[in-house]
Amino acid sequence: MRNARHFAPRLQRWLDDLATAVKPAPQDAASDAARRQLDLFGSEAAAPATTPAATPHSANLLRTPETASPPVRPGAPPWTPPVTITPAAPPTATPVRPSAPPPPELPPKRQLLVGQFVLEYTLRRSTRRSIGFMIDDDGLRVTAPKRVSITEIDNAIRTKQHWILSKLHERRERRAARLEKPPIEWVDGAQLPYLGGDITLRLLVGGRNRSTYNPATRELSMVLIPGATELLLKERVKAWMQQEAKLLFEQRLDLYAGRLGVRYHSFALSSAGTRWGSCTVERKIRLNWKLIHFSLPLIDYVVAHELSHLLEMNHSAQFWNTVGLIYPEYEEARNLLRKRAQELPVLFG
């Protein structure tokens, strides 16, 4: 008992201290807000204790727009997750390169047995009224009206077979002779064919490109900038010859048109490989600039020939009579032109 009376006061003091330690804290505004927040996010409060609590910054990074919810004020309507519309990615623009136009298809060659030879020819339909024949480096080309049948065309070829075969043979010989000639070397002192003779090419170096021709010495001086290439030189010579051809041909056309009493609509230069001239029904005349290599009488023959087509769009006897009115020596000139064409060296490839 003695010990109990001695221990009782001490036990009472210990109980008083314990009651003070476990006394509930007053519910102020802060604690009340904390309680309500715990009620609102009760599901999060019930998460397993092993899951580490994310900081507010990390929570913002990890939440997606579909799951993140904003703070809810008391009395506000229930929060509905917003509908997120993700814009479709713009289609990748793939550059489309314009396709090059397909090369024009050449009409297939037809074959015809003529005597002991298989003759190939290209057929072209047109609005002309008769069958025409043309011989060039590609062979025989036949132009026929649309109404003419293939049988009629073949019969016309057989009728003209001797003329056609001889012209094809002549064309092959001319082509072979032309290819056998060595090309001109584009150096100082080179000889160039001009108006039936040769002129001497003189190469000079200067500050700018220019051309000068001296008819007395028959020298064509080309002043070129340092480092000029052979290609540039050839283009310069060609341009000079074409300019000279245009001036000369216009003079000869006007001269012979006055003699024949005709008028042409227009004139232009051509670079055809096998035709020296042409005349259309629209009265348009084209002359090959390479005629400048030949003598003036041969140029005049081609001029008279094309002007005569203004009266006769054919090669009938009446046509050649018309040519003879202004150029009586046309037969000699025609044969000489063929010969000189074979002797012409390879100039510009």
Side-chain angles (χ1 to χ4, degrees), residues 121-305:
Y121 69 94
T122 302
L123 176 60
R124 177 185 175 187
R125 297 289 188 172
S126 73
T127 57
R128 61 176 296 161
R129 291 175 291 181
S130 61
I131 301 175
F133 303 92
M134 183 69 182
I135 307 292
D136 56 23
D137 287 342
D138 295 328
L140 172 63
R141 184 170 70 246
V142 181
T143 305
K146 298 178 181 180
R147 57 180 174 79
V148 176
S149 66
I150 296 297
T151 301
E152 292 176 300
I153 295 173
D154 291 345
N155 291 336
I157 294 175
R158 290 191 177 95
T159 301
K160 300 270 294 186
Q161 60 178 302
H162 297 294
W163 179 87
I164 292 173
L165 294 176
S166 64
K167 292 298 180 182
L168 288 173
H169 178 70
E170 178 183 331
R171 178 68 63 174
R172 284 192 296 267
E173 288 186 341
R174 289 170 56 183
R175 180 178 176 84
R178 186 169 63 252
L179 295 177
E180 287 177 0
K181 291 184 177 296
I184 289 180
E185 296 185 7
W186 293 89
V187 296
D188 183 72
Q191 299 295 302
L192 306 177
Y194 177 71
L195 289 179
D198 290 333
I199 60 176
T200 303
L201 179 64
R202 294 301 180 191
L203 303 182
L204 305 172
V205 178
R208 62 186 182 90
N209 298 327
R210 62 181 184 273
S211 309
T212 306
Y213 177 66
N214 187 341
T217 61
R218 295 185 64 83
E219 289 183 338
L220 174 62
S221 299
M222 286 284 170
V223 181
L224 304 171
I225 60 176
T229 63
E230 180 180 301
L231 178 60
L232 175 62
L233 172 61
K234 292 166 70 173
E235 291 299 320
R236 291 280 312 285
V237 173
K238 181 191 294 186
W240 178 81
M241 288 190 172
Q242 289 176 340
Q243 180 181 5
E244 293 295 306
K246 191 173 189 303
L247 295 174
L248 178 61
F249 296 172
E250 286 180 340
Q251 295 175 3
R252 309 314 287 180
L253 279 168
D254 292 341
L255 174 64
Y256 281 92
R259 292 182 180 180
L260 192 58
V262 295
R263 296 181 61 181
Y264 58 93
H265 178 272
S266 61
F267 156 70
L269 294 178
S270 77
S271 300
T274 58
R275 300 186 67 177
W276 296 119
S278 64
C279 178
T280 68
V281 293
E282 293 84 9
R283 312 175 75 82
K284 298 178 180 180
I285 292 179
R286 293 171 62 87
L287 297 177
N288 196 318
W289 72 266
K290 297 175 186 177
L291 285 169
I292 199 66
H293 299 314
F294 304 129
S295 62
L296 188 59
L298 299 185
I299 296 174
D300 286 348
Y301 157 68
V302 178
V303 169
H305 184 114

